[in-house]
Amino acid sequence: MSHDFPHDLIQLQRRLHQANADLRAFLHAHPEPPEPINGTAGWSDEDKQHERDLRAQLLDLTDQVHTHPYWDTLSGADLVKARAALKHIDDPADD
């Protein structure tokens, strides 16, 4: 089934993917715990704030995608399939 997603919803999903990637990259670059434990230095206040900001952005974008008016046009299995398809909107097509 092909989906004709609204442009703004696609852009929100792309921003959500990027926000998720940004948070993962930040956490990968900061493997130590945020607070000093067992001799670790912990994170700076700026790093702690940056993580909070990244998580807030991720939650906000998740909410915007989830509550987009487009979903009101679908129901049942069509809704489930469309939500799954949107998550993979930029995946390479299987040949």
Side-chain angles (χ1 to χ4, degrees), residues 6 12 18 25-27 32 41-42 50 60-61 71 75 80 83:
L12 282 169
Q18 186 60 55
F26 175 84
L27 294 173
E32 70 280 357
H50 187 63
D60 179 56
L61 288 166
W71 304 122
S75 63
V80 173
R83 284 190 183 272

Side-chain angles (χ1 to χ4, degrees), residues 1 3 74-84:
M1 176 180 193
H3 300 280
L74 302 170
S75 63
D78 291 338
L79 175 60
V80 173
K81 289 176 186 176
R83 284 190 183 272

